[in-house]
Amino acid sequence: MECLIGMAVGWFYLSVLALCSLGSMCILSTIYWIWYWQGGFAWDGTVLMFNWHPVLMVTGMVVFYSAASLVYRLPQSWVGPKLPWKFGHAAMHLLAFILTVLGLHAVFDFHSHRKIPNLYSLHSWLGITTVFLFACQWFLGFAVFLLPWASVQLRSLLKPFHVFFGASVLSLAIASVISGINEKLFSSLKNGTNSYSSLPSEAVFANCSGMLVVVFGLLVLYILLASSWKRPELGMQAERQVWGFGLPFQVGVGPGLGKGHPVKTWALPGRPTQ
């Protein structure tokens, strides 16, 4: 495993550096767009309250969600107990979900004050579907993969679906952000001297911000799908031992790990430890 980790660490951290830079640029460019061209922020039911919506959705549904999804790609998570990384994964996703709910509250409250109908556009349908799938994904993950009641067979059965819908939610979130930027520009750039089709400076900047989100999301999806950066499957029994539900184990030295790298080998009924 040392060889596997050594091969992946360099490229991984280079990609992490690029992701941190792109993620920060996505958030800061959205804040700058709203602050400079849309009048800033408030929490008073006016359009300034709506302005929190794009910032919170980009921060929560795209950047923080992506960071939470990549927890298991950290090489440090490849060895040792998996449970602490599960808590980190769940906690970061919960933070992303809280920011997302605040972003929804901002737009719904603004619509309520202005007597504007909710959920009538394609962007809103796509966005609310994304948030619903995110909520289902989090609660399923918490119930099955974090709590100790689920069997190894059930976790193995549901894991491919959990991974698939995790990547799907991120893809839908990116699509929602892009459609939301487009919808906001169409609604705010209406007059003939400053129409969207004439590509004023606000449109160019907001379009570039949207492209940053796309590039960021594609890089995250690449890292999630790259097999060389996935945690090696050493068995799920150790997780049950941490909770006190596992079988007895002995500490040994895994093949290829060398001295000083103990791993747990399980004493299965009728089968000697290796």
Side-chain angles (χ1 to χ4, degrees):
M1 186 181 291
E2 279 185 351
C3 180
L4 182 62
I5 294 176
M7 292 173 59
V9 164
W11 281 109
F12 178 83
Y13 282 113
L14 182 63
S15 299
V16 167
L17 180 62
L19 278 178
C20 290
S21 301
L22 282 171
S24 299
M25 290 171 64
C26 289
I27 296 172
L28 292 176
S29 63
T30 306
I31 292 174
Y32 182 79
W33 167 41
I34 297 299
W35 184 267
Y36 187 80
W37 280 285
Q38 299 294 327
F41 306 93
W43 202 267
D44 56 3
T46 67
V47 69
L48 300 183
M49 183 174 181
F50 172 88
N51 287 347
W52 281 108
H53 176 68
V55 173
L56 289 170
M57 302 310 277
V58 168
T59 304
M61 277 300 301
V62 177
V63 178
F64 279 34
Y65 182 93
S66 298
S69 299
L70 292 175
V71 163
Y72 293 132
R73 299 302 181 264
L74 290 170
Q76 291 88 343
S77 73
W78 293 4
V79 293
K82 195 175 180 180
L83 188 62
W85 299 98
K86 285 190 172 189
F87 277 118
H89 180 70
M92 292 178 68
H93 271 307
L94 181 59
L95 177 59
F97 186 72
I98 291 172
L99 293 175
T100 300
V101 171
L102 288 174
L104 288 179
H105 175 67
V107 67
F108 283 140
D109 202 43
F110 166 70
H111 284 179
S112 177
H113 278 79
R114 290 293 186 90
K115 310 300 182 185
I116 299 174
N118 290 309
L119 303 176
Y120 63 88
S121 66
L122 178 60
H123 162 68
S124 62
W125 287 14
L126 186 60
I128 205 67
T129 300
T130 306
V131 175
F132 174 75
L133 291 176
F134 183 12
C136 293
Q137 173 84 343
W138 191 90
F139 282 111
L140 177 66
F142 180 83
V144 174
F145 296 101
L146 192 59
L147 298 182
W149 69 271
S151 67
V152 173
Q153 291 78 10
L154 179 60
R155 293 183 180 185
S156 299
L157 177 65
L158 293 180
K159 182 179 177 180
F161 297 98
H162 186 66
V163 173
F164 169 77
F165 280 105
S168 299
V169 168
L170 176 59
S171 302
L172 290 171
I174 294 169
S176 299
V177 167
I178 300 307
S179 62
I181 292 174
N182 198 240
E183 184 175 296
K184 179 63 176 175
L185 290 174
F186 272 120
S187 65
S188 61
L189 299 176
K190 290 181 177 179
N191 62 71
T193 59
N194 200 34
S195 64
Y196 192 6
S197 60
S198 64
L199 271 184
S201 56
E202 179 183 359
V204 173
F205 186 87
N207 285 351
C208 289
S209 298
M211 292 303 299
L212 277 177
V213 171
V214 171
V215 173
F216 174 82
L218 290 176
L219 183 55
V220 171
L221 290 172
Y222 172 75
I223 293 177
L224 286 175
L225 296 175
S227 58
S228 60
W229 288 336
K230 292 181 180 179
R231 177 185 169 106
E233 290 295 337
L234 300 179
M236 302 176 68
Q237 297 283 1
E239 300 164 26
R240 298 175 67 81
Q241 179 66 27
V242 173
W243 282 106
F245 290 87
L247 298 171
F249 68 87
Q250 297 178 354
V251 175
V253 177
L257 291 178
K259 296 181 179 180
H261 294 274
V263 296
K264 296 175 181 179
T265 55
W266 294 88
L268 299 177
R271 180 178 176 182
T273 59
Q274 299 178 355

